[in-house]
Amino acid sequence: MENGNSVSGDKPTVMVTNDDGIDAPGLRALVAALVSTNLFHVLVFAPDSERSAASHCVSWQRVVTVKKVDVPGATAFAVSGTPADSTSLGISKKIFPSIPDLVVSGINLGCNCGYDIVYSGTVGGAREAFFHGIPSVAVSYDCYNMVSRKLNVDDFTLCAEASIPIITAMLAEIKNKTYLPNCFLNINVPREVANNKGYRLTKQGKCFYKMGWTQVTSEAQEGTTSPTKVMEIKPPEYTETAEPPAMDNDDTDYSSLQAGYITVTPLSALSPAEIDSVAFFKKWLPGVCERFSSTL
């Protein structure tokens, strides 16, 4: 697929989306960092409001509206849909005249590692581009549970600046037609970004956000209650499954992130089972077939 403007020697086109909404500080910092390099044409096509944990949800049989908004240095539109909707529309040529060379989704408020990647709207925005053969990368900032200080805009600026070398290197490979088409990247930046230990290539681990519920009383209708979802990060050894997964190794995304590295994790749309699971079902399925045949 021939993308953007880089094929004609012009600046490459980068399209930015996210799941925190078009006004989120992470997206604004990323756009500002991209614009400040003067190396890219920057487009923005992002949800008009918070769409966190939207995963790869798409709007089906529902009208999606698009509105042009002011984002300094970029051509930007807000969409009343999900991150995947935003990417899909942004690369469709219905709004922009060309397909971007690269789609960047982020910067997300909070990390996206391990099993949590399944929930992530940020990763969903990048994955949608990957589905259509367009190189993409998701960027997230591990900014929750900040120790002894409050989160500020400068943190996102540093996070965005830490992402620029990866983005620039990806675009160089794309221009040379040497970029691998069979994956997209998931980047997580550690909370103390100014003191990061550098980039580390990692694999997806098994940590996830443990979902819980708390009951609250509705003020509008006295005596009634409504459930409110709360989230707490739980590494694998603290999960309450019957057989908890083993502790993540040092080369996994979450473990490396907590060690202070900027993690770079190649992802695919496929979700193959682990080898021991395949071996089990290879022996198990013929027996099912035999029992089923005997009942006919």
Side-chain angles (χ1 to χ4, degrees):
M1 181 179 291
E2 190 172 279
N3 300 348
N5 302 298
S6 59
V7 291
S8 63
D10 200 357
K11 296 178 183 178
T13 299
V14 177
M15 191 185 86
V16 178
T17 190
N18 73 346
D19 73 356
D20 292 321
I22 199 163
D23 294 319
L27 180 143
R28 293 302 178 116
L30 176 59
V31 171
L34 290 168
V35 170
S36 68
T37 67
N38 199 33
L39 296 175
F40 321 110
H41 293 296
V42 183
L43 310 176
V44 180
F45 209 92
D48 58 7
S49 60
E50 174 77 37
R51 293 291 193 279
S52 291
S55 188
H56 207 108
C57 180
V58 295
S59 297
W60 184 252
Q61 297 182 336
R62 182 174 69 84
V63 174
V64 173
T65 60
V66 176
K67 179 181 179 182
K68 191 169 186 179
V69 296
D70 181 29
V71 176
T75 303
F77 293 86
V79 57
S80 66
T82 66
D85 288 335
S86 299
T87 297
S88 179
L89 281 168
I91 66 178
S92 68
K93 292 187 177 182
K94 298 295 184 181
I95 306 296
F96 301 130
S98 63
I99 297 171
D101 295 284
L102 177 69
V103 172
V104 183
S105 186
I107 297 169
N108 188 65
L109 184 67
C111 69
N112 280 304
C113 297
Y115 291 162
D116 177 48
I117 288 171
V118 176
Y119 298 109
S120 172
T122 301
V123 176
R127 189 189 298 111
E128 179 69 15
F130 169 72
F131 282 172
H132 293 271
I134 300 170
S136 59
V137 55
V139 183
S140 302
Y141 180 32
D142 185 26
C143 54
Y144 288 127
N145 302 319
M146 300 288 277
V147 179
S148 73
R149 67 181 179 85
K150 293 183 178 180
L151 180 68
N152 59 56
V153 176
D154 291 340
D155 293 314
F156 283 107
T157 299
L158 290 173
C159 185
E161 291 171 351
S163 306
I164 295 297
I166 295 288
I167 292 170
T168 303
M170 290 179 70
L171 285 164
E173 298 290 348
I174 293 166
K175 182 177 181 180
N176 292 333
K177 299 183 178 180
T178 52
Y179 186 76
L180 288 176
N182 60 348
C183 70
F184 64 103
L185 295 183
N186 184 39
I187 296 175
N188 283 276
V189 180
R191 63 193 62 166
E192 297 297 336
V193 57
N195 299 315
N196 77 81
K197 296 180 180 178
Y199 302 104
R200 173 182 276 185
L201 186 67
T202 61
K203 62 183 181 181
Q204 183 181 357
K206 296 179 179 179
C207 71
F208 68 99
Y209 282 97
K210 180 184 176 183
M211 299 297 180
W213 295 88
T214 184
Q215 196 172 49
V216 297
T217 301
S218 171
E219 295 180 359
Q221 293 179 305
E222 187 176 352
T224 63
T225 59
S226 59
T228 301
K229 177 159 280 189
V230 295
M231 292 190 294
E232 180 183 1
I233 186 71
K234 289 290 184 183
E237 74 271 28
Y238 293 121
T239 59
E240 295 179 354
T241 58
E243 192 172 335
M247 179 63 181
D248 280 352
N249 297 322
D250 290 341
D251 61 348
T252 58
D253 46 12
Y254 187 73
S255 294
S256 297
L257 181 66
Q258 299 310 303
Y261 290 95
I262 298 173
T263 63
V264 181
T265 311
L267 298 177
S268 174
L270 301 177
S271 300
E274 295 183 7
I275 294 175
D276 56 348
S277 299
V278 175
F280 171 84
F281 285 106
K282 189 174 183 179
K283 297 178 180 179
W284 174 83
L285 189 57
V288 174
C289 294
E290 288 178 7
R291 288 193 295 271
F292 175 72
S293 298
S294 66
T295 63
L296 298 179

